[in-house]
Amino acid sequence: MMGIHFDEQKKIFHLSAKDTSYAMEILKENYLVHLYWGKKVQSFGNSNPLQFLDRAFSGNPNKEDRTFSLDTTPQEYPQYGNTDFRKPAFQIQLENGSTITDLRYKSHEIKQGKEKLLGLPATYVEDAKEAETLEILLEDLVAGLEVKLTYTVFADYNVITRSAAIKNVGTENLKILRALSANIDFREADFELIHLPGAWGKERQVERQPLRPGLQGIESARGASSHQHNPFIALARKNTTEDFGEVFAFNLVYSGNFLAQAEVDQFQNTRVTIGINPFDFSWKLGPSETFQTPEVVMTYSDQGLGEMSRTFHELYRNRLCRGTYRDKERPILINNWEATYFDFNAEKIEEIAAAGQELGIELFVLDDGWFGKRDNDTSSLGDWFVHEEKLPNGLKELAERVENCDMQFGLWFEPEMVSVDSDLYRKHPDWCLHVPNRRKSESRNQLILDFSREDVCEEIIKQVSAILSSVPISYVKWDMNRHMTEIGSALLPSDQQRETAHRYMLGLYKVMEEITTAFPHILFESCSGGGGRFDAGILYYMPQTWTSDNTDAISRLKIQYGTSLVYPIVSMGSHVSAVPNHQVHRITSIEMRGDVAMSGNLGYELDLTKLTEEEKEAVKKQTAFYKEHRHLIQFGDFYRLLSPFEGNETAWLFVNKEKTESLVFYFRVLAEPAAPLRSIRLKGLDAKKKYIVENLGQVYGGDELAYVGLSVPHDIQGDFQSYVWHLKEV
Ligand code: DGJ
């Protein structure tokens, strides 16, 4: 049973999600403290109450009680300045210059369901019975400040979401210096920290290391969630594996600068905080104004990382992603980027589309280069009208030619950017992010439009909508190819310049909301130089993300494995591309490339007109196979079997909800002398069911497949090999 219970006598809140409990107490002089987060308990009696003793150099807010210090107390939303020396969750500055607050519990409310977060992406419910929400109001009478902490528990997920809203209820201006979304003070430090660092072409690599005393964490100050770090951290027990053990995971539903950190203090407690990066951030909060932080999704699993991921996948597929395509099978696409780069014309496009149709592909995506005068990356971003020299008969005619090949038509945009060589920039040089008297650093020859401005957002909505409503477009790829520098806005006063990066995100979310709502039939896929903005914030608007610009099958094993820790398989765009691969120059077979790409949202990104007959046959087989099984892959449960971060082999499987069908993918990177003869033990099947392994024509019990396993055929030889088993209940 899910629910939120408040014990009036003990002043304890007990929140329960599916199999999770969370407890807090209103303590001493109305401080809100953290008691527990973990496996569900039926009722919370406080068997392990906080203990108080006088500890040296931990000061006491109340001199009458030397045993009470905020420095030694686990808190829900810790603050700065009165006896807690650890990093606070938030901080504000008053007009008198002081940066200290003293928030205490004021009141609370328990509500059915879950309300929308104003202007920000968040998980949602479709029926109020799916969740319960607790709002706790804290106040600081001196500052004229109220902070509302919001907690939602879900009936069907081991998930608690949190956010904070900071309200100025006084008469003077406040300045927010730090406003993180959530804080948890664990009363222990025996954890390992898991996170997903990376780089362009190498996104979301899995890292795991024991916590050590002091601060450790990850952040982005690049104006995007970034390739370099993902807004996800988890604390796992030392013995936690894929299938066993506890893990506490945090994922921020936000696409801009973030901070996620763990601080192990002198008494071996661990403070985890996550939210908007306080670095170069501040927010002016006038009387009666409210600042809403993004949401953090907190997942608890006592069945290892696999269960953690399945919880995220399920929640994000069903209650974060929205729109027509949320529950719809996704089309197989062909994208012309690696096929032609900027060098194409309508005839070439039509040829590729026609070849795609013959091979069973369903959607053609015209990438960069169709607009303005764009023949390379030095011009035209911001001029979203057709490149007349390249496409003299216009975009509509081209879309129709593609549709005549029985293919849907999709189009690339990079709406947040402007080239210095563009009509838009010539007309509005102050519409980009910039700082007076400083040069505007370019990256890929482009500047970033100032989406904190309404006029800029309106113009972009107008331009993009004009194309989307005049051309038959079924799909949009929304790209973003540089990070922010010289972050400043021409419209904001000097004391609000540090709001620019967050205001940009609010503007971007508004633009995405308007465009995706106005064109509900269009499938949107986001992109940022590959997977540089693969986060839950964007998934709220666009249910797919281009996982990485690195399309090499071997590199993709790690990228897709790491991405799968948090994000659903159906959200991962993955393409078969040409060999030698354009990013790493590796040669792998078309079969291996197909098996990796179809472990996500399958697409192709190469010149189909240049395929050999053999390759064409292979592609035909792949598209037919994918169409038959894509429901299982895109909407089934995902189990990781072998990690590419631990060895030469990778394996994962998909199983449908009814557990009647499964696909098992095995990949081996290098051939080795004396290679081990492998078997793979399957997961997620029904032990009581019998399955036919179609490749072998043999029937085995689900229990045998799980405990004894299947042997990997020894005759797959050479480097870069893959093998797929298909199982069906008999
Ligand atoms: C970066 C993207 O990740 C690529 O797929 C491609 O769309 C290029 N931009 C086009 O400029």
Side-chain angles (χ1 to χ4, degrees), residues 256-357:
N257 294 337
F258 73 91
L259 172 71
Q261 68 186 18
E263 179 177 8
V264 175
D265 74 11
Q266 56 185 330
F267 308 113
Q268 311 308 310
N269 302 306
T270 307
R271 167 167 292 178
V272 174
T273 41
I274 184 166
I276 292 177
N277 197 342
F279 174 74
D280 202 33
F281 164 84
S282 72
W283 194 273
K284 184 174 162 192
L285 200 66
S288 60
E289 285 176 357
T290 300
F291 179 83
Q292 175 63 57
T293 73
E295 173 166 294
V296 52
V297 174
M298 310 194 314
T299 299
Y300 166 77
S301 158
D302 66 340
Q303 292 158 55
L305 302 177
E307 192 57 25
M308 169 198 79
S309 300
R310 283 184 294 280
T311 301
F312 276 125
H313 293 184
E314 199 63 15
L315 178 76
Y316 287 178
R317 261 193 334 241
N318 300 320
R319 293 294 179 264
L320 175 72
C321 293
R322 301 174 299 163
T324 322
Y325 273 92
R326 186 188 74 179
D327 307 321
K328 242 185 161 176
E329 289 183 10
R330 310 292 164 80
I332 304 174
L333 65 82
I334 166 73
N335 176 306
N336 73 308
W337 178 242
E338 286 195 20
T340 65
Y341 295 101
F342 293 103
D343 185 17
F344 58 83
N345 56 28
E347 286 62 46
K348 182 71 201 169
I349 294 307
E350 193 178 12
E351 270 174 38
I352 298 179
Q357 192 271 337

Side-chain angles (χ1 to χ4, degrees), residues 374 377-383 417-429 432 440-449 482:
R374 185 125 162 131
D377 65 19
T378 60
S379 85
S380 303
L381 294 167
D383 297 345
M417 297 292 154
V418 65
S419 308
V420 171
D421 181 6
S422 69
D423 292 353
L424 187 72
Y425 188 77
R426 280 183 282 273
K427 203 162 153 207
H428 297 290
C432 61
K440 301 170 177 167
S441 303
E442 292 182 26
S443 179
R444 207 194 189 209
N445 300 303
Q446 61 199 54
L447 299 170
I448 305 187
L449 284 172
R482 64 158 291 181

Side-chain angles (χ1 to χ4, degrees), residues 557-576:
L557 292 173
K558 285 187 176 167
I559 296 169
Q560 291 176 201
Y561 188 100
T563 304
S564 82
L565 249 60
V566 187
Y567 305 103
I569 301 303
V570 69
S571 67
M572 280 188 230
S574 47
H575 300 172
V576 172

Side-chain angles (χ1 to χ4, degrees), residues 53-73:
L53 72 157
D54 183 358
R55 304 199 102 160
F57 287 86
S58 293
N60 319 109
N62 176 353
K63 68 187 251 178
E64 305 303 320
D65 182 0
R66 282 191 46 170
T67 70
F68 181 63
S69 172
L70 292 170
D71 202 31
T72 59
T73 305

